[in-house]
Amino acid sequence: MPAEDRNLEVRNLTDETEIVVLSDNKCRKYFDNIQFASRKRNKKVLLTVMLILLLVILLTTVIVVVILLVQSRPKVDYPSYDQIIQKLNEAVTRLSPHINIRTHIIGRSVEKRKIVLLKMSPSTLNSSLASDSCLHPLVWVVCGVHGREWTSPLTCLSFIEKLGDIFVHPTSDARDGILKTFQFNILVLANPDGYHYSMSLPARRLTRKNRGQSSCPDSNLAGVDLNRNFGAGYNHGDDCYGQACPFNATPCSITHGGVAAFSEPETRVIRDAMTAELPWLSLSLHGNGNSWSSPFAYKIEDAPQLAGIKWNLEFLSDKIYDQFGTRYFHGSSSGVMYRAGGTMVDWVYEGLGVVRSYNHELRNLCGDNAPKFKKNQAKALCIFQPEVQLALDLIVPEAWFGFKELLKHSYYEDCEATLTSNI
């Protein structure tokens, strides 16, 4: 083969090889691009999957932590009779280094349970001046008269805690400091049998009376309504919630007042203890009718001239409304609630001659604006036994605020001259 032909063949082979090489390079680059894009997509998918897994893990962790916190949080519930006695003893232990405080068994119930009074007073109390209503006013608070009203003893226990804080620590409100000079007799549970019975079974939760003997065949309706067993207006008043009925007519009535005034050991205990230590101010505390009231309960009558200004609680209703936005009824008990004979609020005024006798119906969380209930019992349970944390958050603060504002207002109204002379 001539040299020229061989050279031409070599060039052709070289050109073809370059074309193949170029073609291969383009394919490789193309496939590299495809592989790069594929790896990029895979990386994005992987990152997305990893992010989702991370979020799932975080969410699961949060849920587990919340569950553990809820489970580890001490369950808050209404205290039993035994727990109430324990809490009173704990209050004595905590506060005795700072103030005069002790429990006193003032009597026994129908079923022989202890009726325990807590007494609190300043450590600087001069016994010779203890009866001076402007130097050391004595305040009585009686709770737990009706078994089903679980919010009442709960509120009383809170009062003890709050008063203890005032006695021991400086107060944020200078006007609260005057309460350090007061004496307090607090009866947390006036009806221990009824309270214990109402807690014993779900079917018994709405029990109102004590466990006294009566001819009523229904165990849940047997007994006596202690707040119809006091001496003032006994066996008077139409208190069947707006329906005409003869008072005390049947032993099965939830407001049956017993065979005679003070027929029950629980009311006799209160009568004797309060007679021995006359209050300057008395508060009968119940659940849950949204009111602050004064006598009379058994009759509709204007306040006596001496009591007129002291029974005007409009200022208190306004103060609570301004602070919490909750409106409480105020006036005579028969006016804001219904007529009822044999109540403590009337007996303290008529039987003991104590003008500053008041009745507080705690806040009702299940009134007209609450969800509708299919059964009356469900609504009643909501009224008298709301979830305990709701009671602590919504009922107790308003009751405490109203109580201390009533004390301060009444004290400055009665004792302004004494305060001025001591300045």
Side-chain angles (χ1 to χ4, degrees), residues 73-257:
R73 181 182 178 183
K75 183 182 179 182
V76 180
D77 208 346
Y78 286 96
S80 66
Y81 165 77
D82 290 332
Q83 288 170 332
I84 288 175
I85 301 302
Q86 180 182 345
K87 286 178 181 293
L88 294 179
N89 292 332
E90 289 172 354
V92 171
T93 301
R94 179 172 68 92
L95 297 172
S96 56
H98 310 284
I99 64 173
N100 296 324
I101 181 170
R102 65 187 178 92
T103 56
H104 178 47
I105 301 171
I106 57 175
R108 299 269 179 171
S109 65
V110 169
E111 296 179 343
K112 306 306 179 185
R113 288 186 174 85
K114 298 174 184 177
I115 300 176
V116 182
L117 180 71
L118 185 83
K119 301 170 69 68
M120 308 172 71
S121 62
S123 57
T124 56
L125 177 69
N126 186 332
S127 58
S128 64
L129 300 175
S131 60
D132 190 314
S133 61
C134 282
L135 289 179
H136 298 292
L138 174 58
V139 176
W140 272 82
V141 184
V142 176
C143 297
V145 169
H146 292 137
R148 67 186 181 182
E149 296 170 9
W150 297 358
T151 52
S152 176
L154 184 77
T155 302
C156 243
L157 288 173
S158 178
F159 281 7
I160 292 169
E161 182 179 356
K162 298 291 187 183
L163 288 170
D165 290 342
I166 286 178
F167 273 117
V168 174
H169 305 294
T171 57
S172 56
D173 184 345
R175 284 170 55 90
D176 288 354
I178 195 63
L179 302 183
K180 293 175 182 284
T181 66
F182 284 32
Q183 304 173 78
F184 295 92
N185 285 357
I186 301 178
L187 181 54
V188 174
L189 197 51
N191 181 10
D193 295 346
Y195 184 78
H196 175 77
Y197 185 80
S198 74
M199 286 189 161
S200 60
L201 287 174
R204 298 173 176 175
R205 286 179 62 176
L206 291 179
T207 301
R208 173 183 169 97
K209 305 178 191 177
N210 75 345
R211 301 307 298 159
Q213 297 296 319
S214 73
S215 58
C216 179
D218 186 336
S219 179
N220 288 348
L221 296 176
V224 173
D225 182 344
L226 297 180
N227 206 36
R228 301 296 183 272
N229 192 241
F230 287 87
Y234 174 78
N235 208 20
H236 288 77
D238 173 2
D239 64 348
C240 293
Y241 300 91
Q243 299 177 14
C245 69
F247 177 80
N248 215 20
T250 166
C252 288
S253 165
I254 63 169
T255 55
H256 176 63

Side-chain angles (χ1 to χ4, degrees), residues 318-351:
D318 290 342
K319 272 183 172 286
I320 298 173
Y321 181 78
D322 291 342
Q323 183 74 14
F324 297 97
T326 304
R327 179 61 72 186
Y328 285 81
F329 301 110
H330 61 88
S332 69
S333 293
S334 59
V336 301
M337 295 290 288
Y338 41 75
R339 286 200 299 143
T343 62
M344 179 180 151
V345 69
D346 284 350
W347 172 76
V348 169
Y349 172 66
E350 289 193 346

Side-chain angles (χ1 to χ4, degrees), residues 27 289 380:
C27 288

Side-chain angles (χ1 to χ4, degrees), residues 305-317:
Q305 185 174 359
L306 179 63
I309 189 171
K310 297 182 180 183
W311 288 358
N312 185 352
L313 298 176
E314 183 177 5
F315 84 93
L316 187 60
S317 177

